[in-house]
Amino acid sequence: MFMSQLPTGEQKLNLSRSHALYQEAQQLMPGGVNSPVRAFRGVGGDPVFLERAEGPYLYDVDGNRYLDFVQSWGPMILGFGFPDVLDAVMDASKRGFTFGAPTQAESELARLVIDSVPSVEMIRFVNSGTEATMSALRVARAYTGRSKIVKFSGCYHGHADMLLVQAGSGVATLGLPDSPGVPRETTVNTLTVPYNDIEAIKQVFSTYPDEIAAVIVEPIAANMGLVLPVPGFLEGLREVTASYGSLLIFDEVMTGFRVALGGMQERVGITPDLTCFGKIIGGGLPVGAYGGRREIMQVVAPLGPMYQAGTLSGNPLAMAAGVATLKELRKPGQYERLEHKSQLLGDGITRVLHDTGADAQFVRLGAMFCLYFTREPIHNYADVKQADTARFASYFWSMLERGYYLPPSQYESCFLSLAQEDAQLEETVKAVESILRQQA
Ligand SMILES: *Cc1c(COP(=O)(O)O)cnc(C)c1O
């Protein structure tokens, strides 16, 4: 549908095998993919099929190499093929893929998370971020005996029915305000308010003072680009939820172990009641987790009455990858290194924006960043929708042609990794500069 808008540059890349594989895949899977954003609908054109990756680089089936800013949507913060992670997974593989019985590795990963994130006293591992948020809300409802939940428009918490309301990210890219197949009855208890709007939260609580089990929030909204919380917003949520006996859930599936060892809650010094994890804690294998205060987590079966289970939950391969990844991240200086890289890239691109006068803005926090094609201030989903997605698409394809793999949507955050070297980031700034000069 965007075909006519594709920059001519795309033709310079040979993507012929990718195109052929995509033709086949579309016959076999809806849209040729197993997760919608991978189909490149947000930028037009066909997706790139990848073959392998090493350190900071991806290699596609046509032999093109890209510096990777997607990192499998977050998990690969150490880069690809990190030796300790590989060894740990290979070793675990030889001992058995999965037993459906307890293993020591589960306690090891639990301890690493608990030691890194003080608000988490007990944790339960699941297989995806979707399961983590779904289960955390079940805990909140079981613990409080209340039914309603509050989420923010543009925040994505996975694809559970009750959460597919103004959900950002893939849903935003597809332009679906909601999804067919989700019965109204399933979302009647889901209240949605604008991000960064503490007055709206107060209003919701004064309307339903005894009915709200929890407020779930991305402490940095990273499924509508990268929207930072305004000062006082997260603090306000903490105050309001506590005063109404409602739980505060931080969905740190993306931000956990990414913006700090202790996630965004460490950076802002706020203690949520429950936290959701995923992505990095599985080191690239499928994992999610939810955890929080012991007293709350005690409602989870078999200790308590709230049921939640999983055949492959806590599986040895994912635990091994997670343990090796977190051990590496817990070494001194890692987040300072990431911050240095982020600042290097941020300073460079900010200077480029200034020099070129481009109608765009750069947002970053820790090892996450986003280039929005609008200069209007961005505080919520409505603001994000002002960004020029056609110009983003043109920028995306020009970057790809130069060997930079970005998320194929204006509504996704980019990621930095410890595998990226300063020189590579300096080159990235130059590539951005040449593209913005051409666009101008
Ligand atoms: C990715 C993500 C999820 C969903 O995780 P899946 O593993 O894709 O199910 C939930 N919440 C946030 C904030 C995410 O970024």
Side-chain angles (χ1 to χ4, degrees):
M1 75 184 167
F2 275 87
M3 280 306 177
S4 61
Q5 294 172 17
L6 283 185
T8 50
E10 198 222 343
Q11 268 71 53
K12 288 189 218 151
L13 260 186
N14 175 15
L15 294 172
S16 54
R17 260 188 71 70
S18 273
H19 291 323
L21 290 175
Y22 190 49
Q23 290 308 312
E24 179 192 20
Q26 283 173 287
Q27 302 307 311
L28 304 171
M29 293 166 282
V33 292
N34 286 298
S35 196
V37 70
R38 299 180 196 172
F40 277 32
R41 295 283 168 92
V43 290
D46 288 357
V48 175
F49 274 56
L50 298 174
E51 193 162 79
R52 66 189 179 88
E54 202 179 316
Y57 289 116
L58 303 173
Y59 296 85
D60 74 12
V61 291
D62 290 288
N64 301 303
R65 188 184 80 168
Y66 310 97
L67 191 65
D68 176 28
F69 290 98
V70 178
Q71 295 169 25
S72 192
W73 306 96
M76 307 310 293
I77 192 167
L78 302 179
F80 289 89
F82 191 82
D84 288 358
V85 179
L86 260 187
D87 288 349
V89 173
M90 300 223 283
D91 190 50
S93 307
K94 289 179 195 149
R95 285 183 276 120
F97 285 0
T98 170
F99 311 116
T103 59
Q104 192 182 346
E106 293 155 78
S107 297
E108 230 184 311
L109 187 56
R111 190 169 296 287
L112 284 168
V113 176
I114 288 168
D115 285 351
S116 307
V117 188
S119 73
V120 177
E121 295 173 348
M122 271 186 141
I123 191 165
R124 165 66 59 87
F125 292 108
V126 291
N127 296 303
S128 67
T130 295
E131 276 186 72
T133 58
M134 202 175 84
S135 308
L137 286 165
R138 191 179 301 152
V139 169
R141 285 166 160 165
Y143 179 78
T144 59
R146 300 175 178 181
S147 297
K148 293 197 190 305
I149 56 168
V150 180
K151 78 177 284 287
F152 297 90
S153 47
C155 280
Y156 179 68
H157 304 292
H159 66 88
D161 280 357
M162 64 181 163
L163 289 166
L164 274 186
V165 183
Q166 302 190 29
S169 204
V171 182
T173 303
L174 288 170
L176 303 177
D178 213 326
S179 170
V182 176
R184 265 197 52 72
E185 297 76 24
T186 320
T187 55
V188 287
N189 285 315
T190 308
L191 307 165
T192 308
V193 297
Y195 197 73
N196 274 328
D197 189 342
I198 200 65
E199 288 313 313
I201 277 288
K202 288 181 180 161
Q203 186 99 51
V204 162
F205 271 97
S206 66
T207 312
Y208 304 103
D210 320 310
E211 293 177 61
I212 299 170
V215 172
I216 186 167
V217 65
E218 284 183 78
I220 309 161
N223 285 284
M224 47 172 162
L226 192 65
V227 180
L228 306 184
V230 297
F233 174 59
L234 296 172
E235 292 80 357
L237 292 184
R238 179 64 287 182
E239 238 174 76
V240 175
T241 47
S243 73
Y244 283 94
S246 177
L247 300 189
L248 178 61
I249 304 175
F250 271 15
D251 179 353
E252 301 229 42
V253 169
M254 199 185 282
T255 53
F257 296 92
R258 167 135 315 258
V259 298
L261 199 57
M264 187 59 172
Q265 55 194 273
E266 176 187 316
R267 287 182 84 121
V268 291
I270 292 172
T271 306
D273 299 298
L274 292 171
T275 301
C276 303
F277 299 97
K279 300 191 170 120
I280 288 176
I281 65 158
L285 288 176
V287 164
Y290 60 99
R293 268 208 330 273
R294 183 177 302 277
E295 165 215 1
I296 299 171
M297 288 300 287
Q298 279 171 347
V299 304
V300 179
L303 189 54
M306 188 222 90
Y307 190 71
Q308 186 274 308
T311 302
L312 296 178
S313 291
N315 80 86
L317 302 195
M319 296 297 106
V323 167
T325 300
L326 297 199
K327 277 186 177 163
E328 185 62 23
L329 289 173
R330 284 172 62 88
K331 290 180 179 168
Q334 299 288 50
Y335 289 91
E336 287 77 3
R337 286 176 63 205
L338 286 166
E339 186 63 40
H340 162 79
K341 291 176 198 301
S342 171
Q343 184 165 1
L344 182 78
L345 188 80
D347 288 354
I349 295 183
T350 304
R351 177 182 44 75
V352 166
L353 291 177
H354 179 262
D355 292 353
T356 57
D359 195 6
Q361 64 188 295
F362 187 80
V363 181
R364 73 173 182 96
L365 198 144
M368 310 170 79
F369 67 91
C370 180
L371 182 61
Y372 282 115
F373 283 86
T374 173
R375 261 190 289 198
E376 297 300 316
I378 289 187
H379 298 301
N380 58 37
Y381 193 35
D383 297 339
V384 171
K385 286 195 216 161
Q386 303 305 310
D388 186 337
T389 51
R391 274 178 61 230
F392 175 84
S394 152
Y395 160 74
F396 168 85
W397 283 108
S398 303
M399 285 295 279
L400 194 76
E401 178 202 311
R402 286 167 172 79
Y404 300 91
Y405 190 81
L406 303 176
S409 165
Q410 172 75 95
Y411 299 101
E412 304 284 356
S413 171
C414 302
F415 299 106
L416 292 162
S417 81
L418 285 163
Q420 289 164 335
E421 288 163 17
D422 290 2
Q424 294 164 340
L425 298 175
E426 281 158 12
E427 289 302 314
T428 307
V429 172
K430 285 187 200 155
V432 172
E433 176 160 22
S434 80
I435 292 163
L436 292 183
R437 286 198 189 283
Q438 273 172 19
Q439 274 195 357

